[in-house]
Amino acid sequence: MHSPLIAALPKAELHVHIEGTFEPELMFEIAQRNQISLPYDSVEALRQAYNFQNLQSFLDLYYAGAQVLIHEQDFYDLAWAYFEKCHADHVVHTEIFFDPQTHTDRGVAFATVLHGLKRACQDAKAHFGISSHLIMCFLRHLSEQDAFNTLAQAAAFKDDIIAVGLDSSEVGHPPEKFARVFAAAAEQGYLCVAHAGEEGPATYIWQALELLKVHRIDHGVRCDEDAELMRYLAEKNMPLTVCPLSNLKLCVVDDMRDHNIKKLLHEGLCVTVNSDDPSYFGGYMNDNYQAIHDALALSDDELKQLACNAFQASFLAETEKQAWCEQIKAL
Ligand code: ADE
Ligand code: ZN
C-alpha cells in the first residue's frame, strides 16, 4: 500500500494535533469508562459524520470528541495510540500540538493533560526510540486574555513544552490578535509557530512572520497567492508544515492533483509533509506521503527532500538533523 521508499524513510512529524489522533474506537472506550455519552450510536456512525465542508465543520466534531478526555490516563492512552502509529510509519521524531484550553475550560487541570502526554512521550522514547517535543497551542477563537491565562498556567511546566502555537478557526482571528501573547511567550523562552494561510489569506502568513516572529508556518499553502511572500519564504528558508490529506478533507484543495506542495518544493520552499488530524482525515504520515506521491508523481529524490526538510525544520539539535538526513540520502 505504501511505496517501499515511503515506508523506509525515517520521518519527522511537525504538525499533528494530539486531539486529532483520537480514533473513534478509543473515543468510545474512554467515553464508556468515564460514563460520558457520545451523540453517536456506534464507531461506524461517528466515522460517517467525518464529512467536512470546511475547517469549522471539522472543528465542531473535534472539540466534541475531546470532551471525553478527563483523566491523566486518558491523555496517556490517546498519545500512546498515536506513538504506535508513528512506530508503524517509521516516524522517528514528532513535535506534538496539544490544546490546553479545550480541556482546562471543562475543568480538567493543566497538569492532568501535561502529565499524561509527557508520560507517553517518555514511554515512546523507551519502547520505540521515538523522540518528541510538546507544543502548546492557543485557540485563536478565544480571547487574548484567555491565551495569557493559559501561558501563565504553563509556567509550572515550562521545561516540558518547547514552543507555543496558534490553531482553531482561522478566518476572522488574524495572528495580530495574539502578538502580545507571543512576545511574552518568546520572552519566557518558548519557540513560536502558528497556523496561517490554511483558509486564511497570505496577509495572515505575513502577520505570523512579522508580528508573531514564528520559526515555522503551519499549513501556509495560500502563500502562492503572493509572489513576494513566496520569495521571502524561500530566501529565509522558512519551513511550512503542509498537511495534504487535511487540505483535501477540509476542501482547501478540491483534488490532490491540484495540491501545490510540489510547486512550492520546486520554488525552493522548505515544505514538509504532516498528518494534522489523522484520525479525522483518513491517514497518518505514510498515507500523506503516498497520497501526494500518487497524485503528483513525486520522484524518489523529491520524497527524500521532503523527509529531510522535516528534520531540518524540526527543533532537534543540528547534529541529529544531519544524522537523519545522511540516513535518508543513503536510502
Ligand atoms: N486544530 C486542529 N486541526 C486544525 C487545523 N487543521 N487548523 C486549525 N486548527 C486546528
Ligand atoms: Zn493543524
Side-chain angles (χ1 to χ4, degrees):
M1 189 178 128
H2 301 126
S3 86
L5 177 63
I6 289 170
L9 283 170
K11 283 165 287 278
E13 174 144 64
L14 307 179
H15 185 154
V16 59
H17 302 262
I18 201 63
E19 296 88 351
T21 69
F22 208 174
E23 291 288 342
E25 288 79 3
L26 183 61
M27 193 183 290
F28 270 85
E29 189 184 315
I30 293 180
Q32 196 167 26
R33 76 188 187 209
N34 288 341
Q35 297 179 318
I36 295 171
S37 66
L38 287 165
Y40 298 92
D41 288 342
S42 63
V43 163
E44 294 70 40
L46 178 53
R47 275 221 170 82
Q48 290 287 317
Y50 291 0
N51 212 331
F52 310 115
Q53 296 77 50
N54 52 35
L55 175 58
Q56 193 60 50
S57 63
F58 152 70
L59 289 172
D60 292 343
L61 264 185
Y62 162 88
Y63 293 128
Q67 307 279 317
V68 307
L69 299 163
I70 308 285
H71 304 292
E72 181 187 320
Q73 189 63 38
D74 304 341
F75 292 93
Y76 177 92
D77 291 348
L78 175 67
W80 184 254
Y82 166 65
F83 280 118
E84 288 183 321
K85 301 284 191 181
C86 288
H87 181 60
D89 275 3
H90 202 17
V91 172
V92 298
H93 176 71
T94 177
E95 302 187 355
I96 301 172
F97 295 135
F98 69 109
D99 289 340
Q101 289 155 296
T102 299
H103 313 299
T104 55
D105 284 3
R106 301 180 286 116
V108 176
F110 196 109
T112 301
V113 181
L114 203 283
H115 288 151
L117 298 180
K118 183 181 171 184
R119 188 156 56 85
C121 290
Q122 289 168 335
D123 284 358
K125 183 69 193 169
H127 276 73
F128 297 134
I130 299 173
S131 56
S132 55
H133 289 307
L134 293 173
I135 300 175
M136 160 179 102
C137 285
F138 302 115
L139 299 181
R140 67 201 307 158
H141 68 275
L142 299 179
S143 71
E144 181 196 41
Q145 186 57 52
D146 285 342
F148 267 118
N149 293 347
T150 303
L151 184 62
Q153 285 178 300
F157 310 98
K158 169 71 194 66
D159 293 347
D160 298 320
I161 302 170
I162 196 160
V164 297
L166 186 64
D167 66 0
S168 194
S169 321
E170 186 181 10
V171 174
H173 302 284
E176 65 182 337
K177 179 175 166 186
F178 297 95
R180 293 188 294 194
V181 183
F182 272 62
E187 182 72 23
Q188 291 172 28
Y190 294 96
L191 300 173
C192 298
V193 300
H195 284 52
E198 178 186 17
E199 283 189 344
T203 51
Y204 282 26
I205 302 175
W206 280 120
Q207 284 188 17
L209 296 166
E210 291 173 344
L211 303 179
L212 306 189
K213 306 200 185 326
V214 294
H215 297 84
R216 300 194 291 251
I217 294 285
D218 296 314
H219 292 294
V221 288
R222 285 192 60 186
C223 68
D224 70 358
E225 295 167 16
D226 180 335
E228 191 192 336
L229 176 59
M230 291 274 281
R231 280 192 296 276
Y232 181 91
L233 293 169
E235 188 188 302
K236 299 285 181 192
N237 204 27
M238 174 60 60
L240 302 188
T241 63
V242 177
C243 307
L245 286 173
S246 166
N247 294 154
L248 188 65
K249 289 290 152 84
L250 299 186
C251 308
V252 170
V253 292
D254 293 331
D255 190 303
M256 197 60 96
R257 288 169 296 188
D258 299 331
H259 202 289
N260 63 5
I261 190 167
K262 184 170 173 172
K263 175 183 157 197
L264 300 179
L265 186 69
H266 283 263
E267 299 266 341
L269 273 70
C270 180
V271 283
T272 66
V273 178
N274 306 273
S275 71
D276 203 6
D277 301 285
S279 165
Y280 293 89
F281 300 151
Y284 287 78
M285 280 289 269
N286 286 356
D287 299 324
N288 273 275
Y289 271 87
Q290 193 68 45
I292 53 172
H293 168 271
D294 294 349
L296 304 171
L298 295 182
S299 67
D300 286 0
D301 282 347
E302 288 165 335
L303 291 171
K304 289 181 181 184
Q305 185 66 54
L306 289 167
C308 180
N309 283 354
F311 287 102
Q312 294 298 342
S314 75
F315 298 140
L316 285 168
E318 281 307 317
T319 50
E320 291 178 276
K321 295 181 183 186
Q322 289 321 321
W324 286 118
C325 287
E326 303 274 306
Q327 271 204 38
I328 290 167
K329 252 188 243 149
L331 282 174

